Amino acid sequence: MWRGLWTLIARAARGPRSPRSCTRQGSGAPAPSSGSTIFALSSGQGRCGIAVIRTSGPSSAHALRSLTAPQDLPPARRACLRQLSDPCSGEPLDRALVLWFPGPQSFTGEDCAEFHVHGGPAVVSGVLQALGSVPGLRPAEAGEFTRRAFAHGKLSLTEVEGLADLIHAETEAQRRQALRQLDGELGHLCHGWAEILTKALAHVEAYIDFGEDDNLEEGVLDQAMREVRELEVALGAHLRDARRGQRLRSGAHVVIAGPPNAGKSSLMNLLSRKPVSIVSPEPGTTRDVLETPVDLAGFPTLLSDTAGLREGVGPVEQEGVRRAQNRLEQADLILAVLDASDLASPSSCNFLDAVVIPTGARSPSPSGQRLLLVLNKSDLLPSNGPDPNPDLPPHLLLSCLTGQGLDDLLEALKKELAILCGDPSTGPPLLTRARHQHHLQGCLDALGHYKQAKDLALAAEALRVARGHLARLTGGGGTEEVLDIIFRDFCVGK
């Protein structure tokens, strides 16, 4: 239905359905501006209590007057109850709240209007078609409102990305990170770095232009080098965040692995809170990798259940074991599951020797693979008995059958995922996209070229390249800033 609705809207936007004007007499509507005005449903599709339809562009006032005539525009940024009518036929469409946001004090920086209508499909369809019949209006393209906000300087490129992440956030950690980026924390950090580069570039170019006149202070180039070295340290620290921001945005890869019949599929179902995997006492039930996105302790994860690792099986299960081993190599976090009542079995010992002990022996770091050892079926152990195997690496006891130990496991998962994904509530802003990493690495490489440059002109060019990477990261920057710094920081000709 919605596809057909947008076809009608696009057809209406191409022009009036009849030669007569669709603007009511006496509305006082000005002729539409040559700039396009867009409109769209902003609150999502489907039946709901309230649907929000908004416009942006020079004809927003005309559109608002056309649908609410004979009344004039409401006071700016104040909600008013108005009767909405079709501007061609005069047929009532709905009683709605309307808001008027004159530019530049609006989300896009342009004149904007909002219609808060009842969320039934017929009402939304009628209002959208009515807007499509107003001269100068057309349906918005995907992301066009935000693109106009960026074009008018309302949002930086990193803030645009933060807004997109906030809309798509599914976990608490993703929401916190997206809000920080939308608030401009990453953009402000990059702007601060760009100011350091701008100042250093101004010093170098001033020395090139005026150094022979003895009109500059001593140590200008040394000061620029100190600033570049300090910036190198800061950039290096952010680039060593080990993809934490990208994991937080896309999800950490958590793989459940272990020998057959250890309870891997039961743990998969317990953590995902739905029957993803088949649970059976027959060994080798899971023969392929089963994946599902899961919110674990507020962090986004891609949880994978794998075939039990063992040898001497048929060709189908052998392929499942091969896939499980490949998935283990890709994992950010391994949930190693053993049967607490069968730790002495050959399959358990082989898994400990092949996976648990080598992974645990590595130096733990955010960039390295991490592992949690879980001893399942603790309900089969004697109550208040000793540790099933005191020689094991650090481990957690769990019963997937009774749920005992689940809270401890979730708390341990929260700590591990906070290391892998970073804490979105504290610390410096995270780099959530490969684009961020690319431009910061490009900036760092350019600073290395600056330090190695034997010619001052090449050194200045390296600083310009570094500055360009930061500018492209946030979507801004200009050469006029360099001249401003030159005349503000130096008394040329004094």
Side-chain angles (χ1 to χ4, degrees):
M1 184 201 77
W2 292 103
R3 189 181 294 111
L5 169 60
W6 279 103
T7 302
L8 290 173
I9 295 167
R11 187 181 304 153
R14 286 194 290 268
R17 293 186 293 269
S18 63
R20 64 189 178 92
S21 171
C22 288
T23 304
R24 290 187 190 175
Q25 293 294 328
S27 66
S33 171
S34 58
S36 64
T37 297
I38 56 175
F39 67 94
L41 174 67
S42 297
S43 55
Q45 299 174 355
R47 289 179 176 85
C48 55
I50 299 294
V52 179
I53 298 170
R54 63 178 176 179
T55 71
S56 179
S59 295
S60 290
H62 175 39
L64 186 53
R65 288 191 185 98
S66 296
L67 268 66
T68 60
Q71 300 193 59
D72 203 353
L73 294 175
R77 290 171 290 282
R78 285 182 57 185
C80 293
L81 182 65
R82 296 287 169 88
Q83 176 86 21
L84 301 185
S85 302
D86 187 290
C88 295
S89 65
E91 178 186 1
L93 299 173
D94 192 19
R95 287 179 63 82
L97 288 177
V98 298
L99 293 100
W100 165 237
F101 299 96
Q105 296 180 341
S106 67
F107 171 70
T108 63
E110 302 175 325
D111 289 350
C112 293
E114 288 187 1
F115 302 85
H116 295 219
V117 303
H118 293 97
V123 174
V124 174
S125 171
V127 175
L128 288 174
Q129 290 192 60
L131 287 171
S133 70
V134 176
L137 268 69
R138 63 168 177 83
E141 298 176 1
E144 192 169 1
F145 283 92
T146 304
R147 189 182 183 111
R148 292 190 175 200
F150 170 67
H152 288 93
K154 290 294 184 176
L155 295 173
S156 70
L157 199 53
T158 52
E159 289 169 345
V160 168
E161 292 169 333
L163 177 59
D165 289 345
L166 184 61
I167 292 172
H168 293 97
E170 296 181 350
T171 69
E172 188 72 12
Q174 287 176 319
R175 179 187 62 80
R176 290 173 180 166
Q177 166 61 25
L179 274 175
R180 289 187 66 183
Q181 191 160 325
L182 179 58
D183 286 342
E185 289 194 22
L186 179 58
H188 294 328
L189 182 64
C190 290
H191 282 306
W193 290 337
E195 287 180 4
I196 293 174
L197 284 178
T198 302
K199 186 174 182 180
L201 178 57
H203 290 175
V204 173
E205 293 198 339
Y207 191 88
I208 292 173
D209 291 338
F210 308 108
E212 295 181 357
D213 298 335
D214 295 328
N215 289 323
L216 297 180
E217 301 172 7
E218 293 290 336
V220 166
L221 294 181
D222 292 338
Q223 181 180 348
M225 181 62 77
R226 284 195 300 270
E227 292 169 344
V228 165
R229 286 174 176 163
E230 291 173 0
L231 182 55
E232 271 189 316
V233 173
L235 290 172
H238 275 75
L239 286 168
R240 287 192 299 271
D241 77 344
R243 292 182 50 250
R244 289 185 301 170
Q246 293 180 57
R247 288 195 195 103
L248 181 59
R249 180 171 174 264
S250 304
H253 196 174
V254 180
V255 175
I256 303 174
N261 268 16
K264 301 183 298 299
S265 296
S266 298
L267 180 57
M268 176 76 164
N269 295 342
L270 185 65
L271 292 177
S272 60
R273 298 181 291 277
K274 58 185 178 182
V276 176
S277 301
I278 297 174
V279 177
S280 168
E282 178 183 347
T285 303
T286 302
R287 297 190 174 188
D288 203 350
V289 178
L290 301 176
E291 295 181 337
T292 185
V294 178
D295 178 349
L296 283 181
F299 289 91
T301 63
L302 181 64
L303 189 62
S304 299
D305 184 17
T306 59
L309 301 179
R310 63 173 175 172
E311 298 179 355
V313 295
V316 176
E317 190 175 348
Q318 191 173 8
E319 174 63 18
V321 171
R322 187 191 67 80
R323 295 186 181 190
Q325 291 170 337
N326 288 341
R327 200 52 58 94
L328 273 175
E329 296 175 359
Q330 302 168 9
D332 296 313
L333 172 63
I334 298 173
L335 279 180
V337 183
L338 291 175
D339 184 342
S341 65
D342 192 29
L343 294 175
S345 67
S347 59
S348 294
C349 293
N350 289 338
F351 181 72
L352 279 168
D353 293 338
V355 177
V356 176
I357 293 176
T359 305
R362 300 184 196 127
S363 177
S365 69
S367 59
Q369 200 172 59
R370 305 185 70 84
L371 182 142
L372 279 177
L373 178 58
V374 179
L375 303 187
N376 187 31
K377 305 183 182 181
S378 64
D379 54 291
L380 299 180
L381 299 176
S383 58
N384 300 322
D387 192 300
N389 191 335
D391 296 329
L392 283 175
H395 55 271
L396 296 162
L397 288 175
L398 173 70
S399 171
C400 289
L401 180 65
T402 66
Q404 183 177 4
L406 179 60
D407 290 341
D408 292 338
L409 174 60
L410 290 176
E411 187 62 32
L413 281 169
K414 183 177 182 179
K415 292 179 181 178
E416 293 292 328
L417 291 170
I419 294 171
L420 285 169
C421 301
D423 186 350
S425 302
T426 60
L430 299 172
L431 308 178
T432 57
R433 283 172 164 79
R435 187 182 72 83
H436 302 164
Q437 294 263 355
H438 168 75
H439 284 304
L440 289 191
Q441 186 62 55
C443 181
L444 189 61
D445 293 343
L447 294 184
H449 295 153
Y450 167 80
K451 293 197 310 183
Q452 297 171 4
K454 303 300 183 182
D455 184 88
L456 282 180
L458 294 177
E461 180 59 27
L463 290 180
R464 275 190 287 271
V465 171
R467 231 172 125 262
H469 278 289
L470 292 180
R472 285 191 291 276
L473 199 155
T474 58
T479 57
E480 289 298 320
E481 300 171 23
V482 179
L483 297 177
D484 293 340
I485 293 291
I486 289 176
F487 290 105
R488 186 174 70 233
D489 277 11
F490 299 92
C491 299
V492 177
K494 184 178 178 181

